[in-house]
Amino acid sequence: MSEHEIAGATALVTGASRGFGRGIATALSRAGAQVVGVARDRGPLEELRAELGESFTPVSADAADPTVAGQLIDAYRPAILVLNAGATPLPRPIQHYTWQTFSRNWDTDVQHVFHWAREALLAPLAPGSVVITLSSGAALFGSPLSGGYAGAKATIKFLTAYAAAESERGALGIRFVSVLPQLTGATALGAVYVAAYAARQGVDVATFTNGQGPALTPERVGQAITDLVTGTGLDQDAYLLTAAGLGPLT
Ligand SMILES: NC(=O)c1ccc[n+]([C@@H]2O[C@H](COP(=O)([O-])OP(=O)(O)OC[C@H]3O[C@@H](n4cnc5c(N)ncnc54)[C@H](OP(=O)(O)O)[C@@H]3O)[C@@H](O)[C@H]2O)c1
């Protein structure tokens, strides 16, 4: 999709009310897309609507509900679908999880990507559409203080690649790509884990953060997602995302 084509295109972003999703919705809106933003809490969505104006449509709903996925795909037929919503697991060592708390990111993050990717394939979305999922660098490196999170995010990467293969087999022309961001304290979710890993290492947050190098910001994530939609040569199934931008998986 060219920069010209993004103008007026419909984009749907889950988890749009704060953090990365807010940065993505803002970047796509500024690039000219009509953005539908989904989150459960209506207040922050209304604030974003006030900021972005009529180019942003707030939808208060549970993105992990299969009926919501079906209804919103039917209603909006997005040319750009960003599956970003995610739960914040408890920050604690594995023995302090129960099965229910361990599987939280499977119930939210994985379940929502499963339902929406399935609906995108079955609709099907128009040829030239792009579906982008938010996995995590934790899918490659693990995350010992967040229970089932790393495995859930690895499954999102696999699911996205499976959907890409089905799109290709069916000649649907829908592109599926997953993005694996590095940990950053710049969002509500990330700040919980920066604090937890700093405490684990026995250092303060500033010392831990400085040791990580430049931090990824929601604005940088928004730019990277817009680049993925419009950029030429970005044709891999999955990308790492750091403050330096999109990079190949090593
Ligand atoms: N921050 C990081 O360091 C980092 C690193 C790698 C990957 N990621 C991934 O990037 C994505 C965004 O993370 P973030 O740091 O921006 O998180 P965040 O600040 O906690 O924001 C999460 C967003 O998802 C929404 N959400 C959560 N559950 C939902 C549900 N069931 N239905 C609809 N919306 C839901 C939240 O709104 P409501 O609560 O109002 O629904 C909020 O808008 C997540 O998938 C996360 O795993 C983050």
Side-chain angles (χ1 to χ4, degrees):
M1 187 180 292
S2 69
E3 281 181 31
H4 179 65
E5 287 168 318
I6 202 172
T10 299
L12 193 150
V13 181
T14 65
S17 64
R18 62 171 190 263
F20 290 171
R22 190 178 178 110
I24 295 164
T26 301
L28 291 172
S29 161
R30 296 208 167 124
Q34 287 292 322
V35 181
V36 180
V38 182
R40 292 162 303 173
D41 187 355
R42 185 142 198 108
L45 286 175
E46 290 295 351
E47 284 169 24
L48 192 54
R49 160 78 181 196
E51 193 179 312
L52 299 179
E54 288 185 3
S55 71
F56 183 75
T57 304
V59 176
S60 176
D62 181 354
D65 180 334
T67 307
V68 167
Q71 284 172 339
L72 293 181
I73 291 274
D74 283 352
Y76 291 104
R77 298 268 162 174
I80 304 158
L81 175 60
V82 185
L83 301 176
N84 161 81
T88 303
L90 293 168
R92 53 176 65 169
I94 194 69
Q95 67 272 29
H96 292 280
Y97 276 88
T98 64
W99 178 252
Q100 285 70 26
T101 57
F102 178 88
S103 53
R104 182 147 183 238
N105 294 92
W106 294 81
D107 290 338
T108 300
D109 308 32
V110 178
Q111 187 176 190
H112 115 281
V113 169
F114 174 82
H115 294 316
W116 288 81
R118 179 171 178 274
E119 291 287 343
L121 287 168
L122 290 176
L125 295 182
S129 303
V130 55
V131 179
I132 299 170
T133 62
L134 271 287
S135 173
S136 170
L140 301 178
F141 312 122
S143 55
L145 295 181
S146 51
Y149 179 83
K153 291 306 202 183
T155 297
I156 286 175
K157 179 174 165 295
F158 283 126
L159 261 174
T160 307
Y162 300 161
E166 292 306 320
S167 174
E168 176 122 17
R169 282 168 55 85
L172 300 181
I174 308 169
R175 182 177 174 215
F176 287 84
V177 55
S178 56
V179 174
L180 285 65
Q182 71 178 156
L183 175 64
T184 172
T187 71
L189 182 158
V192 168
Y193 284 93
V194 166
Y197 285 110
R200 177 95 150 179
Q201 289 181 13
V203 298
D204 59 30
V205 166
T207 306
F208 179 84
T209 305
N210 290 340
Q212 300 284 300
L216 183 60
T217 62
E219 293 72 25
R220 189 73 193 83
V221 176
Q223 182 59 52
I225 298 301
T226 307
D227 289 349
L228 264 185
V229 173
T230 59
T232 49
L234 292 169
D235 55 2
Q236 301 294 304
D237 272 357
Y239 288 91
L240 272 178
L241 178 56
T242 67
L246 294 164
L249 298 189
T250 50

